[in-house]
Amino acid sequence: MCFFYPTEQLQHNGSLFTLFLHSPLTAFCLICNILTVKMHLWERANSYVDRFITEASRLFTSKVKPDVSYIQFFGDDFLRLLLLRYVFCHVVLRHHRAFVGEQYLPRCQPPLPLASFLDEISLKKYVRELAKHLDVLSHFENFE
């Protein structure tokens, strides 16, 4: 079984950011021009996203001194997942060759103090492994 994204469904009916919040792996595939993914590859790729989310959660709670409003958000499962998918979006776009420049990165208010952990090797490792798994490593840079 394969996942297939018909061309008519790839029209701009929403933002890329919204897609990252709703389905991070689908957004990742979209920016890497992946139109079909075999089921076993999809499931394995989702495990990389899940590991990224787990690691980002660990880093967020141990390294970041966020605004008190974010602490309240982090206590809710749904809002925590949105925040962590935001981090995934930020890290992926930051290292993707097609999104060079701050204007392509998501922003929020109050700003998340992400600088303290966005350059964590562990987060980049999961994005690199996901890209390697889907054979799109050439779309990314700055993984050193």
Side-chain angles (χ1 to χ4, degrees):
M1 170 157 220
C2 293
F3 285 94
F4 177 70
Y5 305 103
T7 307
E8 61 271 6
Q9 288 184 356
L10 293 177
Q11 295 175 359
H12 297 292
N13 292 328
S15 77
L16 180 60
F17 178 64
T18 303
L19 188 56
F20 266 102
L21 295 181
H22 174 70
S23 179
L25 185 53
T26 302
F28 184 92
C29 289
L30 180 67
I31 65 171
C32 293
N33 300 316
I34 298 172
L35 299 179
T36 61
V37 179
K38 292 183 180 176
M39 182 63 92
H40 72 280
L41 292 175
W42 181 266
E43 290 171 357
R44 175 79 188 239
N46 253 326
S47 73
Y48 289 114
V49 174
D50 290 344
R51 284 185 253 165
F52 179 99
I53 296 295
T54 301
E55 178 65 6
S57 179
R58 186 189 70 76
L59 291 169
F60 194 93
T61 56
S62 67
K63 292 195 171 202
V64 176
K65 304 288 188 263
D67 185 282
V68 70
S69 60
Y70 286 119
I71 302 261
Q72 292 170 344
F73 276 52
F74 221 70
D76 180 273
D77 291 341
F78 176 73
L79 297 175
R80 179 176 53 250
L81 185 59
L82 287 179
L83 282 172
L84 296 171
R85 286 178 175 179
Y86 172 94
V87 172
F88 179 76
C89 175
H90 199 285
V91 172
V92 168
L93 294 180
R94 186 172 184 205
H95 295 287
H96 195 282
R97 292 182 186 276
F99 299 91
V100 178
E102 293 293 317
Q103 71 272 21
Y104 294 109
L105 300 179
R107 291 178 296 278
C108 61
Q109 211 43 277
L112 275 172
L114 297 175
S116 61
F117 77 96
L118 278 179
D119 285 324
E120 284 289 328
I121 293 170
S122 59
L123 293 180
K124 292 190 284 188
K125 177 184 90 164
Y126 290 121
V127 174
R128 181 179 55 243
E129 287 176 1
L130 175 59
K132 187 175 180 182
H133 174 70
L134 294 173
D135 199 24
V136 292
L137 201 51
S138 63
H139 289 260
F140 293 88
E141 59 184 19
N142 301 326
F143 278 132
E144 300 78 32

